[in-house]
Each structure stands twice: as structure tokens, then as C-alpha cells.
Amino acid sequence: MVTVEAAWQARLALEYTLQGGRTTLSGREHSGPLLVQKAFYPEGDAVCHSIIVHPPGGIAGGDALKLELDLREGTAALLTTPGAGKWYRSLGPRASLAQHFDIGRGAVLEWLPQPAIVFDAARAEIRTEIRLHEEALYMGWELTCMGRTASGERFSSGELRQRTEVWQQGRRLWCEYARLAGDDPMLASKAGLAACTVSATLIAAGRDIRQDLLAQCRAIAPEAGEHSGITVLPRVLLARYLGHSSEAAMHHFTALWSLLRPQLTGRTAVPPRIWAT
């Protein structure tokens, strides 16, 4: 439990530019405990892999984090996190994470964080805004576990608010607003989480999805007892997952990403090395 006086205010802003065919992490600004490790190039110069690190290990009541990514024309960056994110319980103050991704002409951003765990009695708010320029592509996911289920904990109190918007050249392609409260009937409702503790959304935005690619994605089935679905809108693919295992959710979305990436970018899927540690 954390009081407002102990709260962290943190901001990390990263800029990627193309220099001689190499995507370079050319600019970084940070304040507070939100950092980026050195750039990695496991698949050559074209794609820069980065790991976002939050040293406190979790987000507590009153914390306010901001992540800003600016990908200039023609760049490609893949970002992930070193482990599961945690939203700690709060005595009352809300914790927040604001993410703003600006993806330049022909650039590709892959935002693939590891799952987040929302503790019982947490008060969390996540706002994500994705701005795509002409011919830009975004592929990203959010995986959320409500309660520390491995410890037998339920999400019986607290609140999670999520807001995601995707824009391309001034046109809103997709938006979603969600609010989940502890013991809310929506947690058990078939119209909500259907009594599942893990929910996840994958977004591929900026390109039209062919029907044959959609069929291939739908052919990737989740593990027994888990649920998934895929919807295609103009220039947007949405994949949903409901289940009880964050590892199973990660496995399912990794399989989808491994199929989508070559089709949409022409590059073979190369998982971040940190996932294997």
C-alpha cells in the first residue's frame, strides 16, 4: 500500500531515425524510474529491438508514468518489457500509464510487452494513443491478468480503466474504452470476461488484411478451455483472448504475431531474446 507522498512520476520519450539503412535510437529523454536498455539488433540493422524497464517493478497508487515513442520515416522498432508488469493495490489514489506512439511514414512499430497483473484493490488507468502516418504499421498487444491468481487472489475490489485509440492521417480507425471494477458482474458475464481472469487484445493497424490471411489467423486455435476471436475492420485487425493463463495468452498471441509479421512487413518473426530468459 502506497500513499500519494511515495508516488513516482516518470516519463520516457524515445526517438528512432533511419541512418544509412539502420534504425537508430537517436534520442531519449527520461525523468523518474522509467528507462530503456541499449539497442539490440538480433535481425540486422533494419529493426531496432528495445527493452523498456521500470526499476521499481510495479506501479502503485498515485504513480503516473508516460511513455512516448516517435518513429521517423522508414524506421522499424520492436519494444518489449523484461517481465510481467504489476499494478499494486492502493489505499485510494489512482495509478496511471499514458502511452503515445507516433509512427512516421512507412515506419513499423511492434509494441509487445509481457503480461500485466492487476492486484486486488488496485486503481489503475491505461491510456494509449497510436498515431499512424501514411503507409505506417502498428502491431501491438495488451495482456492483463485480473488478480494474482497463482496466489488464489480474486479481483474483488478496485478498478481498471483502459482507453485505446488508433488514428491514421487524421482518421480514427478504432477506439475502445473499458472499465472493470472489483466484483463487477461484467467479470463473470458472457458479455464481459466470462469468469476468465486473463484478457488480451492484439491490434494490427495501418494495412488492409486479406481474407486468406484472416482465415489463417482464425485457424490458430488457443489451448483447450481458452477463448479467442478475430475481427477485421478497414485497415485494422483485432484479436481477442480470454482464459486463465497469461502464459497461454502470450503463446497464442506470439503465434498470431509470427504469422502476421511476415505477411505485413516481409520480415520473419524474431522473438525478443528477453522472452527466453
Side-chain angles (χ1 to χ4, degrees):
M1 299 181 185
V2 178
T3 62
V4 175
E5 289 75 18
W8 289 108
Q9 310 295 306
R11 172 179 175 266
L12 176 64
L14 305 178
E15 178 185 78
Y16 295 85
T17 56
L18 199 61
Q19 299 178 7
R22 180 182 177 93
T23 295
T24 302
L25 178 53
S26 55
R28 68 183 81 186
E29 298 178 8
H30 81 90
S31 60
L34 196 59
L35 309 170
V36 62
Q37 293 185 350
K38 71 174 184 178
F40 298 93
Y41 293 89
E43 52 183 309
D45 288 346
V47 184
C48 179
H49 286 223
S50 301
I51 300 174
I52 305 300
V53 180
H54 181 231
I59 305 174
D63 288 358
L65 277 59
K66 294 182 180 179
L67 176 62
E68 301 170 9
L69 306 177
D70 183 3
L71 275 67
R72 297 301 178 90
E73 182 174 350
T75 56
L78 186 156
L79 290 89
T80 188
T81 55
K86 301 178 182 67
W87 293 84
Y88 295 139
R89 61 182 301 160
S90 171
L91 290 172
R94 178 176 286 116
S96 67
L97 170 62
Q99 302 177 140
H100 181 87
F101 305 152
D102 192 273
I103 309 169
R105 178 186 173 90
V108 177
L109 171 61
E110 297 169 273
W111 171 234
L112 310 175
Q114 298 204 52
I117 303 170
V118 182
F119 287 30
D120 183 37
R123 291 176 55 80
E125 182 176 11
I126 305 170
R127 302 185 306 276
T128 303
E129 183 180 86
I130 300 147
R131 296 275 177 175
L132 294 156
H133 294 259
E134 187 178 359
E135 299 178 8
L137 173 67
Y138 171 79
M139 287 191 290
W141 63 46
E142 297 288 344
L143 303 94
T144 306
C145 180
M146 305 301 292
R148 291 174 291 174
T149 54
S151 302
E153 179 183 274
R154 295 176 53 253
F155 189 65
S156 58
S157 63
E159 180 184 67
L160 171 65
R161 292 177 179 263
Q162 292 179 297
R163 171 179 172 175
T164 304
E165 296 186 353
V166 182
W167 297 77
Q168 188 166 40
Q169 295 178 273
R171 175 190 173 192
R172 187 163 65 179
L173 300 182
W174 184 72
C175 64
E176 181 171 74
Y177 307 89
R179 175 184 177 274
L180 292 173
D183 272 345
D184 190 310
M186 286 297 290
L187 297 176
S189 170
K190 291 184 178 180
L193 299 192
C196 293
T197 56
V198 177
S199 62
T201 299
L202 179 151
I203 305 172
R207 307 278 170 84
D208 289 321
I209 303 297
R210 303 186 317 272
Q211 286 299 310
D212 64 318
L213 179 56
L214 173 60
Q216 292 175 55
C217 289
R218 286 176 170 168
I220 298 177
E223 295 184 8
E226 314 293 299
H227 310 280
S228 68
I230 299 177
T231 301
V232 167
L233 304 171
R235 306 187 74 77
V236 177
L237 177 144
L238 298 171
R240 305 286 197 178
Y241 173 94
L242 286 174
H244 298 280
S245 167
S246 57
E247 290 184 359
M250 189 83 172
H251 177 78
H252 182 64
F253 274 9
T254 299
L256 285 174
W257 168 73
S258 297
L259 173 62
L260 288 166
R261 193 188 207 231
Q263 296 289 333
L264 298 180
T265 71
R267 300 186 181 106
T268 301
V270 178
R273 292 174 179 173
I274 194 71
W275 291 358
T277 61

